[in-house]
Amino acid sequence: MIKKKLRTLKSNYQVWPQITLEETKTAIKKASNWKSPGKDEIANFWIKNLPFLHQDLANGYNEYCICTDPETCPDWLTIGITYLLPKTEDTKNPKNYRPITCLPTTYEILTSIISERVYKHLDENDLLPKE
């Protein structure tokens, strides 16, 4: 029984090809226009409305983040800015704050692409649990 499951898992290995322009465009379309940007300080609105940048963005993801060596991923891409928002009117107690981290919009587009690929792989190979 265990060997059969291991064989099944090995046959469902996910291949990671280059990120395509279409994947990048799809992720950009899903992003909210005026969501707070992170350290890159780029609003999704501008990324959406400058389509000539989309291919360069896909190329950058391929070169620095996915296909060659993930260790070469620039630090600014994965560093966020954390804000403390008060939960109540009592702002003297530190427990009454909740942290919100704004990640770079370019990072969120990349993670959207990765998430879509993983979900598609799990769905196609019937690896998602039945609800």
Side-chain angles (χ1 to χ4, degrees):
M1 177 75 166
I2 292 175
K3 286 184 180 180
K4 184 178 180 181
K5 285 190 177 218
L6 287 175
R7 219 176 310 125
T8 303
L9 288 175
K10 287 181 183 178
S11 66
N12 292 331
Y13 179 76
Q14 185 172 7
V15 178
W16 284 88
Q18 296 270 322
I19 291 175
T20 66
L21 177 59
E22 288 308 310
E23 285 178 304
T24 304
K25 285 181 177 182
T26 300
I28 290 169
K29 283 180 187 173
K30 287 193 285 184
S32 300
N33 279 342
W34 297 111
K35 187 175 179 186
S36 296
K39 196 168 180 141
D40 61 359
E41 297 182 4
I42 303 169
N44 287 322
F45 173 84
W46 297 111
I47 295 174
K48 285 182 179 185
N49 289 290
L50 297 171
F52 60 88
L53 294 176
H54 297 174
Q55 183 63 58
D56 290 331
L57 191 57
N59 294 344
Y61 290 148
N62 287 318
E63 185 174 342
Y64 295 109
C65 302
I66 297 295
C67 296
T68 53
D69 182 12
E71 296 297 320
T72 63
C73 189
D75 289 338
W76 62 264
L77 186 64
T78 58
I79 295 175
I81 300 171
T82 302
Y83 298 98
L84 295 175
L85 300 179
K87 294 180 191 176
T88 66
E89 298 293 321
D90 178 20
T91 56
K92 292 181 182 178
N93 186 348
K95 289 184 178 181
N96 291 331
Y97 288 88
R98 66 183 176 104
I100 298 288
T101 301
C102 296
L103 295 166
T105 52
T106 47
Y107 173 79
E108 291 182 356
I109 292 168
L110 174 62
T111 56
S112 176
I113 294 167
I114 293 170
S115 175
E116 187 62 35
R117 282 185 173 190
V118 170
Y119 180 80
K120 184 178 176 184
H121 174 76
L122 294 173
D123 190 43
E124 287 174 352
N125 291 284
D126 199 29
L127 297 172
L128 292 170
K130 305 291 182 223
E131 291 185 28

